Amino acid sequence: MTTCLPNECEQITIYDQDGGIMEAVTNDHRVLTHMIQKLKQNSSHIAKKYQTTTVASSSISTGYLDGKQVKRIIFYLRGIGCSWCKLDYGGCSMCGHFHGTTKGDLMPEGSHLQQFKTEYAKYDFKEFPIVCIYNAGSLLSREEVRDYDFAEILKIIDADVNIKHIIVESRPEFITESTMQVMSSLLKSTSIEIGIGLESCSETVRDLCINKGFSFIDYIKAAEVIKKYKFKLLTYITVKPLFLTINESIADVVGSLKRLKDLTDVVSLEPTSIQKWTLVDYFYTQGIYRIPSGWLLRDIIAEIKDNINDLGFELRIGGFEFYPTPQLYVSNCYRCNGDLYKAINSFNVNKSIDEILSLKCECIKTYEMEKYNEQSLNANESLHARVSEIIADKLLSSYLK
C-alpha cells in the first residue's frame, strides 16, 4: 500500500522480468515530483562526457567479511540510468546517481563486460576478498545490464579464487526467481549479498519524502526470494530524509529497525548526503534542508543501545561511498569530525557503541538548539501539511517581501 493524498497517485502497471506484475506509483499531480522531473531534464542538457568502455570509477574501501574488517574493491560501472529514475516523475529525492550515467542513452552490446574486464585487470585480488559492482541503478535489471554481460561478469568473479564475496544492488522488482537462479548457478564459490534501498519502513516517508516508487510489501516479497536462495540481504535505511525533523528521523529509523527484525541480514544506516541536481540539493541551497549531524547518529544508537544485540541483523553505518561523489556528507564540526568518523569506523569494525556514545564537543549545543526549534515550529503539524507550507512559503517569499 502506498500513502498518497486524494487523487494524487497514478497507478502504472510494470511487468517484472518473470512476467509477474509489480505496482509502481508515479505522482504526476504532485509538485515535488514535477520538481524532480525538471531537475532531471535540466541536467540532461549538460554536455555528456563519458566513455562506454571504461567504468565511471573504481575505488578501494573497507568492508566486513565473517566479522572481520577487510579491503574491498568497488566497481562503478557506467550505467544507462536507474529504471525508476528514467520514468517520468520517477527518481528519489536524494539520489544523484542518474547524473553519472548516460541518462537513458543505450550503450553498445558488451559495454558493461568490457568496462568490468578492463578495470578488473588493474587489481591483484589477493588483498581484496570482497567485490562490489554498482551501476547507479539495479544491476539485476536486464534493461540496465544485458544478460550476456551480467553472466560473463559473474563467471569472471567466480573463477577468481581470491574473491569470496560479491555485493550488488537492486530495486525489488528485479529480484526475481530467474535472476536468482542465474546467480546461484554461476557463483558456485562466491557468497552473494544483495542491497535494497528500502530507506524507511514508513509508506508515507518512503513515498512523500523520498519518492521511492515501491511499497514495503514489494520489499518483503524480494526479501523472501533472496532468502530462498540463501543469499544475504543488505537493507539501506535513510537517516534524516527530506522534510523530517531530527526527532522524527530518529523515530523513523528506530521504528524501521524494529520492523526489520528477522527480515534482513544487514542494515546500513545511510545519512543523507548532498548530491548535485537532486531535490535534497535544491532545498539545501535554499536553506530549508540541513544535512544530518553526527549527533543524530549518536541519538539513534542511544535509543537502541539496550537492544542492539537483539536486532536480528548486523547493523552498519554507511553513507560515504557514492558516484558521483556527494558535495557534503554527515558531519559535526572541524573540531570533532575526526572523532566522529573514527567512532563510526570503530562501530562498523567491532560493533562497539562506546566511542559514538562518548563523543563530546561544544557543537552539540547547535544540534540541540536545532532540535528544539524544529519541535516548536512543527508541533501538531502533519507531514503533508508541512510540505505544502514549505512549498507555499518558497513560492511566495519574493512576492510577500
Side-chain angles (χ1 to χ4, degrees):
M1 181 185 76
T2 303
T3 304
C4 305
L5 294 174
N7 303 316
E8 191 176 4
C9 294
E10 176 189 359
Q11 299 281 341
I12 53 175
T13 300
I14 297 178
Y15 289 85
D16 71 25
Q17 296 167 130
D18 284 343
I21 295 177
M22 108 171 236
E23 294 236 325
V25 179
T26 57
N27 300 288
D28 65 345
H29 300 299
R30 180 181 286 167
V31 172
L32 293 174
T33 52
H34 276 267
M35 292 174 72
I36 290 174
Q37 185 69 10
K38 288 184 180 298
L39 287 166
K40 289 189 296 185
Q41 290 170 344
N42 186 74
S43 76
S44 295
H45 297 317
I46 300 171
K48 300 175 181 177
K49 299 178 181 179
Y50 52 76
Q51 294 289 328
T52 61
T53 56
T54 56
V55 297
S57 176
S58 71
S59 63
I60 297 171
S61 181
T62 299
Y64 308 94
L65 184 64
D66 299 327
K68 297 179 181 178
Q69 184 177 24
V70 298
K71 291 182 181 179
R72 62 173 174 156
I73 294 179
I74 305 175
F75 293 95
Y76 297 97
L77 301 181
R78 178 72 67 188
I80 64 171
C82 168
S83 300
W84 167 242
C85 193
K86 287 191 295 180
L87 287 177
D88 287 346
Y89 314 109
C92 301
S93 63
M94 71 293 189
C95 182
H97 298 349
F98 185 68
H99 311 296
T101 71
T102 68
K103 299 173 185 174
D105 289 353
L106 295 178
M107 296 191 291
E109 289 189 21
S111 293
H112 285 119
L113 177 58
Q114 184 59 53
Q115 289 180 36
F116 180 78
K117 288 170 70 174
T118 300
E119 202 67 14
Y120 171 85
K122 297 178 181 179
Y123 294 95
D124 180 355
F125 285 86
K126 290 178 182 177
E127 297 182 27
F128 309 107
I130 300 179
V131 170
C132 304
I133 307 178
Y134 305 144
N135 67 319
S138 296
L139 197 80
L140 305 188
S141 165
R142 297 290 65 82
E143 176 195 352
E144 296 180 37
V145 180
R146 291 184 174 94
D147 285 309
Y148 178 78
D149 290 28
F150 180 67
E152 291 301 308
I153 289 171
L154 296 187
K155 289 177 185 177
I156 292 170
I157 289 172
D158 200 56
D160 191 325
V161 296
N162 296 303
I163 300 175
K164 308 299 183 185
H165 190 68
I166 177 176
I167 302 175
V168 300
E169 295 176 344
S170 179
R171 287 176 60 85
E173 59 264 36
F174 305 116
I175 298 172
T176 62
E177 290 276 351
S178 60
T179 302
M180 297 300 98
Q181 288 169 6
V182 169
M183 296 185 75
S184 182
S185 65
L186 294 178
L187 292 169
K188 298 290 189 182
S189 58
T190 311
S191 59
I192 301 164
E193 187 170 334
I194 299 174
I196 301 177
L198 175 64
E199 320 306 351
S200 170
C201 287
S202 163
E203 302 288 358
T204 301
V205 170
R206 198 180 323 102
D207 174 49
L208 182 62
C209 301
I210 296 174
N211 194 43
K212 197 68 190 183
F214 66 77
S215 70
F216 191 56
I217 294 299
D218 294 324
Y219 166 83
I220 290 175
K221 289 178 180 177
E224 290 171 348
V225 176
I226 291 171
K227 294 291 184 183
K228 178 179 176 179
Y229 286 84
K230 296 181 172 54
F231 299 160
K232 203 169 186 178
L233 172 57
L234 164 63
T235 304
Y236 299 109
I237 294 294
T238 296
V239 177
K240 202 169 185 285
L242 187 61
F243 305 125
L244 289 194
T245 66
I246 292 171
N247 283 330
E248 287 169 343
S249 181
I250 294 169
D252 183 62
V253 171
V254 172
S256 294
L257 295 180
K258 289 178 180 177
R259 290 191 70 184
L260 288 171
K261 185 178 177 66
D262 300 325
L263 286 176
T264 186
D265 298 290
V266 183
V267 170
S268 181
L269 301 181
E270 302 286 314
T272 300
S273 57
I274 304 297
Q275 290 183 287
K276 191 70 174 170
W277 303 115
T278 63
L279 199 60
V280 165
D281 181 41
Y282 168 75
F283 282 108
Y284 171 77
T285 60
Q286 300 303 305
I288 296 169
Y289 180 80
R290 295 188 64 172
I291 63 169
S293 161
W295 300 113
L296 174 52
L297 291 174
R298 189 206 62 169
D299 281 356
I300 290 170
I301 297 299
E303 282 285 323
I304 63 172
K305 63 183 175 64
D306 293 337
N307 302 307
I308 200 163
N309 295 320
D310 299 313
L311 292 172
F313 48 77
E314 177 191 349
L315 185 64
R316 301 173 188 163
I317 299 175
F320 295 95
E321 289 154 349
F322 301 105
Y323 184 86
T325 303
Q327 298 165 285
L328 292 169
Y329 300 92
V330 59
S331 64
N332 281 344
C333 75
Y334 72 92
R335 293 183 297 269
C336 68
N337 275 340
D339 291 337
L340 169 64
Y341 301 140
K342 182 182 176 184
I344 290 173
N345 184 64
S346 177
F347 174 78
N348 285 332
V349 172
N350 55 40
K351 304 309 173 191
S352 170
I353 63 176
D354 295 341
E355 288 190 45
I356 290 180
L357 294 180
S358 62
L359 286 170
K360 289 183 173 60
C361 185
E362 284 293 307
C363 69
I364 193 173
K365 294 178 182 177
T366 302
Y367 168 75
E368 295 293 351
M369 182 59 69
E370 184 182 352
K371 271 206 302 186
Y372 175 80
N373 290 339
E374 285 180 339
Q375 201 67 15
S376 301
L377 290 172
N378 298 297
N380 303 318
E381 183 180 48
S382 74
L383 183 57
H384 283 102
R386 181 189 311 156
V387 172
S388 297
E389 184 177 359
I390 288 170
I391 294 171
D393 285 347
K394 190 60 196 170
L395 289 173
L396 292 172
S397 58
S398 59
Y399 178 78
L400 295 175
K401 283 182 179 177

